[in-house]
């Protein structure tokens, strides 16, 4: 009977209860969203690379090498000589190696130069190998393999020709027009930076950056210097127009994919970094020490798992600040509920006195008031969870495409349910304050008419 009375009493104060519900719901949504994004961001970063024992690059910071070589964030300061790569991959215990060359792009997407070992040995998530949604790996220096998001966003298909641009960025004024590449394959989606990458053979990178293609004579440079700024925008616009025209006329651009296998390495002299896998974990520390002490050139070898933990330790303070802010928002919403209950308590003194006059005891009044607080808190949490899942569905594709964070739309975890339980418990404790005040109101005080 008390529960039914508390429910009807709550519905009778629609305006104030609705405002309180909204504030609690929004705070719960923020708290759950921050926690889910934090957990899924860690999981997405950890799933980007798997089964790789060492990442080797020019000597720089551990985190910088990891971000540039795996996540395509930032740039490597120096390159690794090909001779050094050949020497290290021949060391005892090395099972496989993957060379990586970065520095070019295509419409804002990174271009990665590598060889056939990339498709055989690169793993993500829990040691999952790359698979093809369509086509096959490149066979020679005139082919390119697209990540899933590149193909989807740009509307490319197998057999289409594309032009790579020099430099990393959305806009480039140096296009490798004389070396167009044919799309030979499209990788299946992985939820990692691989989806936003174009993969080409090292020989293609070397061909595009050879002196005959990238260094015009000084005489030509002087003649073109006066009109360079005038034609840069026009040149870029022409390329955009060409690509738009290409996407509309794909049938004209389709090429035969029955190409003959060719040289994938060419005369490569430098690479950005390379990945190593070992026959046994026992070789990892030994080879890592040898690489870090390598006298041929200053190199750095990092263990991806260890470096990822260091990265999250650096961001730990940011996580704590976000969690404190969301907890503060939850507390403010609960204090708003307390203010609402206390504000209406004085208006309900006659109502409570009437209940006392018909036989209600003080503990009945206490239970009535605290039940109302529990109803409001539970309903606020329920609406907050509904808003949370709505936000997850709306932001899932955007976060994956922009930041590579894959949000999992799954049931609430034990930790998230614990957070909701804490909020409901806190709402119950806060509701006990006005309930305690009502407990001590006397019948005479409630019936007294004050002037």
């Amino acid at each position: 009977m008390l529960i039914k009375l508390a429910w009807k009493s709550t519905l009778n104060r629609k305006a104030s209860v609705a405002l309180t519900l909204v504030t609690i719901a929004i705070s719960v949504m923020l708290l759950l969203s921050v926690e889910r994004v934090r957990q899924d961001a860690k999981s997405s970063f950890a799933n980007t690379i798997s089964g790789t024992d060492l990442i080797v690059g020019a000597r720089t910071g551990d985190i910088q090498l990891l971000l540039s070589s795996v996540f395509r964030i930032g740039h490597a300061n120096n390159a690794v000589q090909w001779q050094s790569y050949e020497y290290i991959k021949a060391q005892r215990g090395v099972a496989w190696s993957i060379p990586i060359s970065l520095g070019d792009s295509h419409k804002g997407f990174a271009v990665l130069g590598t060889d056939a070992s990339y498709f055989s040995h690169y793993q993500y998530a829990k040691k999952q190998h790359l698979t093809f949604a369509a086509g096959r790996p490149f066979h020679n220096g005139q082919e390119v393999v697209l990540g899933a998001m590149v193909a989807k966003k740009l509307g490319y298909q197998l057999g289409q020709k594309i032009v790579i641009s020099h430099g990393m960025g959305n806009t480039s004024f140096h296009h490798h027009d004389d070396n167009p590449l044919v799309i030979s394959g499209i990788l299946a989606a992985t939820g990692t930076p691989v989806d936003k990458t174009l993969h080409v053979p090292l020989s293609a990178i070397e061909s595009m950056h050879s002196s005959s293609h990238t260094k015009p004579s000084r005489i030509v440079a002087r003649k073109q210097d006066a009109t360079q700024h005038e034609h840069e925008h026009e040149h870029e616009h022409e390329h955009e127009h060409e690509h738009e025209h290409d996407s509309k006329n794909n049938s004209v651009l389709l090429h035969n994919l029955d190409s003959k296998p060719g040289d994938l390495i060419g005369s490569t002299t430098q690479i950005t970094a390379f990945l190593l896998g070992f026959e046994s974990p026992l070789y990892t520390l030994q080879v890592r020490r040898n690489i870090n002490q390598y006298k041929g050139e200053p190199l750095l070898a990092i263990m991806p798992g260890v470096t990822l933990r260091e990265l999250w330790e650096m961001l730990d303070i940011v996580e704590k600040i976000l969690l404190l802010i969301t907890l503060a928002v939850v507390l403010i919403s609960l204090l708003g509920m307390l203010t609402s209950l206390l504000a209406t308590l004085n208006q309900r003194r006659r109502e409570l006195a009437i209940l006392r006059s018909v036989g209600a005891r003080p503990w009945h009044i206490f239970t009535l008031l605290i039940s109302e607080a529990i109803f409001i808190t539970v309903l606020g949490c329920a609406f907050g969870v509904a808003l949370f899942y709505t936000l997850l569905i709306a932001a899932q594709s955007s976060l994956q495409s922009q930041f590579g964070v894959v949000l999992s739309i799954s049931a609430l975890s034990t930790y998230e349910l614990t957070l909701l339980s804490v909020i409901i418990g806190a709402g119950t404790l806060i509701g006990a304050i006005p309930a305690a005040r009502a407990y001590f109101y006397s019948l005479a005080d409630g019936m007294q008419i004050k002037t």
Side-chain angles (χ1 to χ4, degrees):
M1 192 65 181
L2 281 174
I3 294 176
K4 184 177 180 181
L5 184 62
W7 175 248
K8 293 197 174 206
S9 177
T10 302
L11 293 178
N12 191 47
R13 295 176 289 110
K14 294 183 180 67
S16 61
V17 169
L19 289 175
T20 305
L21 280 176
V22 169
T23 56
I24 293 177
I26 292 176
S27 63
V28 169
M29 178 197 68
L30 288 175
L31 180 61
L32 294 178
S33 299
V34 168
E35 179 58 26
R36 182 64 63 92
V37 169
R38 183 179 70 87
Q39 293 293 342
D40 287 348
K42 280 187 177 182
S43 177
S44 296
F45 269 69
N47 288 339
T48 299
I49 187 169
S50 175
T52 296
D53 297 312
L54 288 180
I55 301 175
V56 184
R59 190 165 295 170
T60 181
D62 292 17
I63 295 176
Q64 182 180 358
L65 176 58
L66 177 72
L67 293 178
S68 62
S69 61
V70 176
F71 298 98
R72 323 286 190 259
I73 299 175
H75 305 281
N77 295 327
N78 296 302
V80 178
Q81 298 300 317
W82 184 258
Q83 293 87 345
S84 299
Y85 166 68
E86 291 280 355
Y87 173 78
I88 293 172
K89 78 171 187 177
Q91 295 299 302
R92 180 185 176 188
V94 176
W96 53 264
S97 61
I98 301 175
I100 291 175
S101 180
L102 297 166
D104 289 327
S105 64
H106 177 73
K107 293 191 174 182
F109 293 102
V111 173
L112 183 147
T114 185
D115 60 14
S117 60
Y118 181 86
F119 305 105
S120 301
H121 300 294
Y122 188 89
Q123 298 175 337
Y124 67 98
K126 296 180 180 179
K127 296 189 176 181
Q128 296 184 43
H129 288 274
L130 298 176
T131 58
F132 280 80
R136 53 163 175 77
F138 44 65
H139 280 173
N140 51 54
Q142 287 75 48
E143 296 179 342
V144 57
V145 172
L146 307 183
M149 190 173 297
V150 179
K152 181 179 179 181
K153 204 163 187 180
L154 300 181
Y156 289 159
Q157 61 177 328
L158 296 179
Q160 189 170 347
K161 274 192 174 182
I162 63 173
V163 174
I164 303 301
S165 304
H166 182 66
M168 303 291 289
N170 293 321
T171 302
S172 175
F173 299 114
H174 189 103
H175 304 275
H176 301 292
D177 307 78
D178 45 0
N179 280 287
L181 302 177
V182 179
I183 300 172
S184 66
I186 298 174
L187 293 171
T190 64
T192 71
V194 172
D195 296 345
K196 298 186 288 184
T197 305
L198 294 86
H199 308 84
V200 302
L202 289 171
S203 57
I205 297 289
E206 183 64 22
S207 176
M208 287 185 290
H209 292 86
S210 62
S211 58
S212 61
H213 298 307
T214 59
K215 296 182 180 179
S217 64
R218 293 184 179 180
I219 297 176
V220 176
R222 290 194 189 100
K223 290 181 179 180
Q224 293 178 346
D225 184 63
T227 58
Q228 180 180 5
H229 294 290
E230 180 180 350
H231 292 288
E232 280 179 346
H233 178 72
E234 180 182 354
H235 184 58
E236 177 69 16
H237 177 73
E238 289 174 356
H239 278 282
E240 292 179 356
H241 178 74
E242 288 173 4
H243 291 310
E244 291 175 1
H245 180 73
D246 291 346
S247 62
K248 294 178 182 178
N249 300 278
N250 285 333
S251 59
V252 179
L253 290 173
L254 295 183
H255 291 262
N256 186 11
L257 294 179
D258 295 331
S259 59
K260 295 181 180 180
D263 183 14
L264 300 180
I265 304 300
S267 56
T268 300
T269 58
Q270 292 181 333
I271 55 176
T272 305
F274 57 94
L275 313 180
L276 292 177
F278 295 97
E279 297 172 357
S280 170
L282 298 175
Y283 291 106
T284 304
L285 294 178
Q286 178 184 350
V287 176
R288 183 189 182 194
R289 183 177 64 253
N290 294 338
I291 293 173
N292 291 334
Q293 296 176 353
Y294 180 62
K295 295 182 180 180
E297 62 176 312
L299 297 178
L300 174 67
I302 63 172
M303 302 172 68
V306 175
T307 307
L308 271 175
R309 284 194 293 271
E310 292 177 359
L311 175 63
W312 287 117
E313 286 176 2
M314 290 179 57
L315 299 176
D316 185 58
I317 183 64
V318 178
E319 294 181 23
K320 290 180 179 178
I321 290 174
L322 287 175
L323 184 60
L324 286 175
I325 292 174
T326 52
L327 288 176
V329 172
V330 172
L331 180 60
I332 290 171
S333 65
L334 292 177
L335 290 176
M337 180 181 71
L338 173 63
T339 303
S340 174
L341 291 175
L342 289 175
T344 58
L345 187 59
N346 283 331
Q347 303 171 4
R348 301 176 62 189
R349 295 180 73 169
R350 185 178 297 277
E351 171 193 338
L352 299 178
I354 293 173
L355 290 175
R356 292 286 302 275
S357 67
V358 295
R361 298 187 178 184
W363 69 268
H364 288 137
I365 302 299
F366 180 88
T367 304
L368 176 66
L369 268 291
I370 204 169
S371 296
E372 292 179 13
I374 293 174
F375 280 145
I376 295 173
T377 308
V378 170
L379 285 175
C381 288
F383 285 127
V385 171
L387 288 175
F388 164 66
Y389 279 106
T390 303
L391 182 64
L392 278 187
I393 295 172
Q396 187 181 36
S397 59
S398 177
L399 281 178
Q400 182 175 355
S401 61
Q402 297 296 326
F403 304 102
V405 177
V406 181
L407 295 179
S408 59
I409 303 179
S410 57
L412 296 177
S413 65
T414 303
Y415 180 68
E416 290 167 340
L417 290 174
T418 302
L419 290 176
L420 290 179
S421 300
V422 171
I423 294 174
I424 294 173
T428 303
L429 290 176
I430 287 178
I433 297 175
R437 291 191 61 179
Y439 180 88
F440 292 106
Y441 281 161
S442 65
L443 179 60
D445 181 55
M447 297 294 293
Q448 182 180 358
I449 299 177
K450 296 184 179 180
T451 59

